[in-house]
Amino acid sequence: MSSERVRLYELMLVISPEADDDGVITVQRIVELIASHEGIVSEQEKWGLRRLAYQIKGFQEGQYVLIRFSLRSSQAREIERALVAAEDVLRHLLTLSL
């Protein structure tokens, strides 16, 4: 049994405006990824399509999503690796929540 601490995280995503179903499928995949690493998603907020401050991968707009979840700290790196590899995710920021 691991004595590793479970922490609260916030994940801000900027998803490609070309993602299927307004990014719903991408968000579902990320929520399933968190669950597969024994995390618990407590909240999801879709902020909608917004103009970016600068162009990212050729896009001027992106769909913003905020996900709050709890996860063991060692598993957070695995989530980050998957986000870097995800094609529909233009940018992400994973932070500890207080």
Side-chain angles (χ1 to χ4, degrees):
M1 177 170 206
S2 176
S3 64
E4 191 174 1
R5 200 169 150 191
V6 173
R7 296 178 173 243
L8 300 175
Y9 291 93
E10 287 186 351
L11 175 61
M12 175 59 75
L13 299 166
V14 180
I15 300 172
S16 165
E18 294 179 350
D20 296 337
D21 298 326
D22 295 330
V24 171
I25 293 172
T26 302
V27 172
Q28 266 182 321
R29 282 194 342 246
I30 293 168
V31 167
E32 289 169 4
L33 177 68
I34 292 168
S36 73
H37 285 86
E38 301 174 9
I40 299 171
V41 174
S42 58
E43 188 177 347
Q44 294 179 46
E45 293 179 27
K46 288 183 72 175
W47 292 6
L49 192 66
R50 300 196 178 204
R51 186 162 176 77
L52 302 172
Y54 54 91
Q55 195 172 36
I56 302 173
K57 295 182 183 178
F59 296 107
Q60 290 288 345
E61 296 179 321
Q63 299 174 49
Y64 282 71
V65 178
L66 176 67
I67 302 173
R68 291 186 178 96
F69 61 96
S70 58
L71 185 69
R72 288 181 307 173
S73 53
S74 65
Q75 299 297 321
R77 287 188 187 131
E78 296 299 321
I79 302 297
E80 281 252 53
R81 279 192 207 118
L83 290 169
V84 168
E87 292 180 15
D88 289 342
V89 177
L90 300 178
R91 288 285 190 272
H92 73 277
L93 179 63
L94 180 63
T95 58
L96 281 172
S97 181
L98 299 177

